[in-house]
Amino acid sequence: MSESTASVALGAVGGGQALRFYDSGGHHPENGTLLGFWLYLMSDSLVFASLFAAYGVLGRNYAGGPSGADLFKLPLVAVNTSLLLLSSITYGFAMIEMQRKRQGAMLAWLALTGLLGAGFVGIELHEFANLIHEGNGPQRSAFLSSFFTLVGTHGLHVTFGIVWLLTLMAQVARHGLIAANRRRLMCLSMFWHFLDVIWIGVFTFVYLMGALK
């Protein structure tokens, strides 16, 4: 607060009026939202690092039950991986259209991104349902507990990302490509690509290495 503003506030107190504070907003960084979202992604990375570490410790504790080589169906997982990677590409096209200020084309690419993400979640739920139906739920062994926790946490992130995507599509359709919506779309872009990176780790560390045991 400047000296002139401070003197006005103090004068108001001396005159018996309520104390008032003035904030011009000039001290807020221009890209504070993006910086804060990077900090969130860093914290989320620690969450997944912990889940990967837990799986690395427990991934061979089968308790006499099936291993990853017995359970994992790599062709289906490959299809699921392709859906998520393609959704990252379509989101990139949406961001290009946003820069060109072509709202209709951007919304179309976002809709395709949401459909690919929904397909990914649907296949993952199908996989989980089959495992549980066959008696290989998370309570079966430490391996399956850590598997369901790691893969399920990633699936929840994708689900929340889809909800966020639909919300932003509604906001853009209503208010257009205003600065706030562009900033939110940038944050979701970072989140979506982050989930792709995490899934590559899951696909390699959990499915591929598990199928080779």
Side-chain angles (χ1 to χ4, degrees):
M1 186 164 59
S2 65
E3 293 183 2
S4 59
T5 306
S7 62
V8 171
L10 291 175
V13 174
Q17 299 180 11
L19 180 63
R20 291 180 294 174
F21 294 93
Y22 299 90
D23 183 7
S24 64
H27 63 282
H28 295 294
E30 183 178 353
N31 295 322
T33 300
L34 295 178
L35 175 61
F37 200 77
W38 272 112
L39 293 175
Y40 158 72
L41 291 181
M42 291 171 62
S43 67
D44 218 16
S45 298
L46 295 177
V47 173
F48 279 106
S50 300
L51 294 177
F52 274 110
Y55 182 84
V57 173
L58 303 174
R60 293 179 180 271
N61 298 334
Y62 306 123
S67 66
D70 302 318
L71 299 177
F72 297 154
K73 300 176 181 178
L74 288 185
L76 183 63
V77 180
V79 171
N80 216 20
T81 301
S82 300
L83 290 178
L84 192 61
L85 294 180
L86 282 174
S87 73
S88 188
I89 295 174
T90 56
Y91 199 106
F93 285 136
M95 296 303 294
I96 292 174
E97 297 299 340
M98 183 188 76
Q99 296 297 329
R100 295 174 177 174
K101 298 182 180 180
R102 297 172 56 181
Q103 180 175 319
M106 187 202 71
L107 289 175
W109 283 114
L110 289 179
L112 181 56
T113 301
L115 289 175
L116 291 171
F120 172 86
V121 174
I123 292 178
E124 190 168 282
L125 290 175
H126 173 74
E127 178 188 24
F128 282 5
N130 282 343
L131 290 174
I132 294 173
H133 178 73
E134 295 170 358
N136 298 315
Q139 76 284 352
R140 180 65 180 83
S141 64
F143 153 65
L144 286 168
S145 295
S146 57
F147 166 79
F148 273 91
T149 302
L150 173 57
V151 179
T153 300
H154 179 272
L156 283 176
H157 277 70
V158 176
T159 302
F160 293 146
I162 294 172
V163 174
W164 187 4
L165 177 66
L166 294 175
T167 302
L168 283 183
M169 289 178 64
Q171 290 180 340
V172 170
R174 182 174 181 180
H175 302 292
L177 290 173
I178 59 176
N181 283 338
R182 292 166 65 91
R183 184 173 64 251
R184 292 162 185 158
L185 287 166
M186 285 291 296
C187 289
L188 180 55
S189 175
M190 292 190 295
F191 180 75
W192 202 266
H193 296 312
F194 167 76
L195 294 181
D196 270 5
V197 173
I198 296 297
W199 181 255
I200 291 173
V202 172
F203 178 70
T204 303
F205 186 57
V206 176
Y207 287 99
L208 287 182
M209 294 181 63
L212 295 176
K213 294 179 181 178

